[in-house]
Amino acid sequence: MLSAMPREYFEGAAGIVALLEGLDLRPLLPSIQCPTLVLAAEGDRTFPLRHAHALAAGIRGARLKILE
């Protein structure tokens, strides 16, 4: 199905990923006040565990669950 997608689809997706590379939401994390569960997967190359730990640490009371 992916091979049927037009080239513009992939160009748009690449543009979104490029925008996310510089996005820093850390200053907003302390304002989250709802119960939060951060899920992470061992061996995830897209979102390394160090990022999941930092995310959970930035949200008061957040729990971190690492999946095998």
Side-chain angles (χ1 to χ4, degrees):
M1 289 173 47
L2 283 175
S3 64
M5 300 298 289
R7 187 184 83 219
E8 292 81 12
Y9 171 84
F10 298 100
E11 291 171 353
I16 291 170
V17 170
L19 288 173
L20 293 176
E21 287 177 352
L23 185 62
D24 184 3
L25 298 176
R26 287 176 291 180
L28 300 175
L29 296 180
S31 67
I32 297 174
Q33 297 181 13
C34 61
T36 303
L37 173 62
V38 176
L39 294 174
E42 288 182 14
D44 186 337
R45 296 184 312 206
T46 304
F47 196 78
L49 288 180
R50 71 179 187 279
H51 294 311
H53 283 280
L55 183 59
I59 302 171
R60 183 176 311 163
R63 293 186 316 133
L64 172 62
K65 174 72 177 168
I66 299 173
L67 306 172
E68 294 181 17

